[in-house]
Amino acid sequence: MNSNEPHDQNDVTSNDRHPNIASTTTTRKGKRVKKIKRFLRNNCNKSRIILFHLFILMIAAIIVIIIFLLNNPSIFIRPHCKAPFGAASLNSTFNTLGQLETGMSYNSNNEYNVVNSLGFTGKYQFTEQTLKDLGYYTPKDNVYYKNGSDKNNWAGKFTGKNGCNSYQDFLDNKFNVQEIAIREEFQMDLRIINDTLPQNQSLDSFLNKPLKFTGCNISAGGVSLNNITLAGILAVAHLIGAANAAQALVSGNSPCDDMGTSITKYLTDFSECDFPAEQVTDAVNSFENNS
Ligand SMILES: *[C@@H]1O[C@H](CO)[C@@H](O)[C@H](O)[C@H]1NC(C)=O
Ligand SMILES: *[C@@H]1O[C@H](CO)[C@@H](O)[C@H](O)[C@H]1NC(C)=O
Ligand SMILES: *[C@@H]1O[C@H](CO)[C@@H](O)[C@H](O)[C@H]1NC(C)=O
Ligand SMILES: *[C@@H]1O[C@H](CO)[C@@H](O)[C@H](O)[C@H]1NC(C)=O
Ligand SMILES: *[C@@H]1O[C@H](CO)[C@@H](O)[C@H](O)[C@H]1NC(C)=O
Ligand SMILES: CC(=O)N[C@H]1CO[C@H](CO)[C@@H](O)[C@@H]1O
């Protein structure tokens, strides 16, 4: 309190239109401090209890946030695939793709029965068309998403391939059907990409190189990606179709996925994962040998 006195003097001079303000506030302050001190003396236990409750609430809030982040690691940080060349990269590609598709961490196991508002299904958000092309699903009356329907209705029949007899079997990931299907899809997409690319531009000619894109949601100057990998190309093929992915590579014109995300984003997500094409065949075979 003593140290306040000279300051109050200064305040009075600088505040000379209201010379009384400084001294009245000082006495009011003094009264208030006394009141608080008395309150604390009388209610010390009460305030300790309040503090204790606040502390418990804070701990609980921190625990809730940690659990939330563990279940949804991609809410603040976009998942990025990074693993040594080969089988580890291929495994990591599937897990990163699953996280990007569902927004869930890959060990949550709930990811297999995620269905979005357009009927995209499972860890990899499969469409009716993909499961039709892979021989798992026969659409009713040949109507399916983007072919007479504006969503995936799953009104057709499952064929029984790999023991998957119904939509529910597929959602349950029975006999690992979703994991087998994504590996078969990569294999199929490699074939489609190869068939779509012109004779003088093999898939290999695009790999492990920078590539510049213009296109959907890309700023005027275009965007330069520093490393195109097979992982990135197959992730994009899954998102926009293999033929469209091949055309994007050749033209340097990047489309968006159904959510308005430029495919260059996905190419960047997988720029540090890579594997040889034969690894995809090995992965398909390893699942077939196991079952
Ligand atoms: C990749 O995943 C398969 C199947 O889940 C597993 O058998 C294999 O050990 C994994 N490989 C690596 C290098 O992580
Ligand atoms: C890729 O396509 C060419 C024809 O354009 C064909 O000769 C070749 O066998 C195909 N390769 C693979 C791995 O499918
Ligand atoms: C491939 O051939 C086409 C014409 O058939 C040509 O326009 C194009 O520049 C060629 N591309 C490469 C990379 O050689
Ligand atoms: C570009 O991105 C915005 C927001 O992310 C999205 O709403 C829009 O549909 C995208 N543009 C196209 C052409 O998809
Ligand atoms: C591209 O990424 C792959 C996988 O991380 C790596 O093996 C390769 O060396 C990279 N290439 C370039 C040119 O950065
Ligand atoms: C409504 C529609 O576009 N139907 C087409 C769906 O795809 C088949 C071929 O797979 C076409 O024959 C249909 O015309």
Side-chain angles (χ1 to χ4, degrees):
M1 277 296 129
N2 283 344
S3 61
N4 271 344
E5 307 286 2
H7 291 293
D8 284 348
Q9 289 290 312
N10 288 344
D11 285 347
V12 171
T13 40
S14 62
N15 237 333
D16 54 5
R17 265 193 280 169
H18 310 281
N20 290 327
I21 284 181
S23 53
T24 32
T25 32
T26 321
T27 45
R28 258 196 222 144
K29 254 188 211 160
K31 269 185 195 162
R32 211 178 290 152
V33 168
K34 266 185 203 158
K35 248 191 198 166
I36 291 171
K37 274 187 184 161
R38 204 181 317 134
F39 178 83
L40 282 181
R41 208 168 30 246
N42 296 342
N43 298 283
C44 194
N45 283 339
K46 231 186 231 171
S47 49
R48 263 196 204 151
I49 288 168
I50 291 171
L51 271 179
F52 179 73
H53 277 109
L54 278 178
F55 181 73
I56 294 288
L57 268 177
M58 245 170 62
I59 298 279
I62 289 169
I63 289 172
V64 166
I65 289 170
I66 287 173
I67 290 174
F68 195 69
L69 280 178
L70 284 178
N71 283 324
N72 304 275
S74 43
I75 280 200
F76 301 115
I77 304 163
R78 198 174 161 87
H80 183 79
C81 192
K82 184 170 179 163
F85 185 81
S89 258
L90 183 59
N91 286 0
S92 203
T93 296
F94 293 131
N95 289 331
T96 306
L97 188 57
Q99 287 176 57
L100 285 165
E101 288 280 14
T102 62
M104 288 177 159
S105 72
Y106 64 85
N107 50 7
S108 74
N109 256 335
N110 295 326
E111 59 199 343
Y112 290 114
N113 52 38
V114 173
V115 181
N116 82 1
S117 58
L118 292 177
F120 287 76
T121 294
K123 174 175 171 183
Y124 303 104
Q125 296 286 278
F126 285 103
T127 60
E128 293 172 304
Q129 162 130 37
T130 301
L131 294 191
K132 167 183 154 305
D133 292 347
L134 293 173
Y136 287 94
Y137 178 71
T138 312
K140 191 163 178 267
D141 303 328
N142 219 350
V143 169
Y144 48 94
Y145 181 57
K146 291 193 169 166
N147 190 74
S149 169
D150 57 4
K151 62 181 284 197
N152 298 274
N153 290 304
W154 304 107
K157 283 202 162 63
F158 277 76
T159 59
K161 181 178 176 185
N162 287 328
C164 182
N165 289 300
S166 64
Y167 186 52
Q168 192 58 48
D169 282 353
F170 194 79
L171 285 176
D172 291 344
N173 190 34
K174 195 176 168 192
F175 304 131
N176 254 325
V177 60
Q178 293 189 19
E179 296 298 345
I180 301 172
I182 191 67
R183 285 157 177 80
E184 290 171 337
E185 189 198 330
F186 272 24
Q187 198 175 35
M188 174 178 78
D189 287 348
L190 278 169
R191 205 168 50 238
I192 296 171
I193 290 168
N194 182 53
D195 290 348
T196 308
L197 289 174
Q199 291 283 346
N200 60 355
Q201 275 182 300
S202 70
L203 181 52
D204 280 348
S205 72
F206 292 99
L207 298 176
N208 289 312
K209 285 198 186 94
L211 193 59
K212 190 170 175 177
F213 282 100
T214 53
C216 173
N217 270 343
I218 294 176
S219 55
V223 61
S224 288
L225 306 184
N226 56 16
N227 193 9
I228 303 291
T229 63
L230 191 57
I233 291 173
L234 287 173
V236 167
H238 174 68
L239 286 152
I240 63 166
N244 293 335
Q247 274 151 19
L249 288 174
V250 174
S251 66
N253 192 290
S254 156
C256 283
D257 69 3
D258 286 352
M259 312 310 282
T261 307
S262 166
I263 63 153
T264 56
K265 206 153 205 155
Y266 295 98
L267 289 170
T268 307
D269 294 333
F270 294 89
S271 64
E272 293 186 276
C273 270
D274 209 9
F275 47 81
E278 304 80 60
Q279 200 95 53
V280 175
T281 310
D282 292 350
V284 171
N285 292 340
S286 78
F287 264 101
E288 271 165 8
N289 295 340
N290 286 346
S291 56

